[in-house]
Amino acid sequence: MAKKEIVVGIDIGGTNTIFGFVDRGGNILAEDRLKTNHYEEIEVYVAALYEKIMVASHKIMEEVEIIGFGIGAPMGNINKGTIEYAAGLPWKGIVPLAEVFKRHTTLPVIVTNDANAAAVGEMIYGGAKGMKNFVVITLGTGLGSGFVIDGKLVYGQDGFAGEIGHTAIRPGPSNRECGCGRKGCLETYVSATGLKRSLLKIMADSIEPSDLRSYSFNELDAEIIHEAAKRGDYLAKRAFEHTGRMLGFKLADVVAHTNPEAIFLFGGLALAKDLIFEPAKEYMEENLLSIYKGKVKLLPSELSTQNAAVLGASSLIWTMKESNF
């Protein structure tokens, strides 16, 4: 009997690298992780990752056959198989990830931006099945985005199309500094980190009581602010309102550029549900050109938060297989 084909989906984050063995139906047969920030040299990191993948695969190899490796990473370039100037990773400059990985395997290795991988995953496994035009916004420590137009993921000339997190929402030298080196980028306002920065500014400008005043900047995180907002904390709710307004304002521009059927929000911040969706939807509609009003759905991702990055990365290989790329 023929073995079941599976793909290794790999999500490289600044702290952890998560990988899983994924079948065509989007089922993760096994999963494990590696500490990304324990490896200062890319060659040592890839060797350790590949070894861990092989060890984990021994538990299921009698039943399956690996057909490729799909990798999602910050600033991943699908055209070159590289990671380029990713601020949150231990390796600086242009990192030839696919080239290094192929020293260990003859199977296909595809590298792309993590948000692009999420968009492909949404199209294959999530709420965008059957859609030809949609956008996925990932709301985590930063803000990522992937654009699908006429059924195809948009990569652009150099493989970096769709970086709306690094478009200006409040340009100018006096505005928030971004990890990219610029000021006023959207992700400095609309992200888990941006929410925290907004809350601290709101608290500094207000005398309203709040349990959150007892936290330091390093102690605060989006989950703590979310829990406070659910309890009715006025300042936490204001921080979410401000974050949603900024997102909605920018989404109106996204609609003008791409005319999508839907925009999906994914990531930890999206789990706040109405706290983020309601102001985002309101301010998106308020700022839309009249020809778009009432036509664009703003939806939560249907991918599991825990496994979406691995599913999205694995879907790169399935897409390649189907297109005979």
Side-chain angles (χ1 to χ4, degrees), residues 99-122:
E99 177 185 321
V100 175
F101 210 94
K102 286 179 180 178
R103 296 172 191 169
H104 300 270
T105 181
T106 58
L107 295 172
V109 178
I110 301 179
V111 178
T112 194
N113 179 278
D114 43 4
N116 286 343
V120 177
E122 197 73 52

Side-chain angles (χ1 to χ4, degrees), residues 4-60:
K4 177 190 289 188
E5 293 183 335
I6 62 167
V7 170
V8 181
I10 303 169
D11 173 52
I12 300 177
T15 303
N16 293 303
T17 295
I18 303 171
F19 65 87
F21 303 92
V22 186
D23 68 15
R24 187 63 185 84
N27 302 299
I28 298 179
L29 308 182
E31 193 174 45
D32 206 344
R33 64 182 59 210
L34 182 78
K35 286 289 185 183
T36 311
N37 55 11
H38 283 188
Y39 301 90
E40 295 182 359
E41 298 179 7
I42 188 64
E43 292 83 3
V44 178
Y45 163 79
V46 170
L49 175 60
Y50 188 80
E51 181 181 3
K52 193 152 193 175
I53 290 171
M54 290 301 101
V55 170
S57 72
H58 290 159
K59 301 174 184 177
I60 57 174

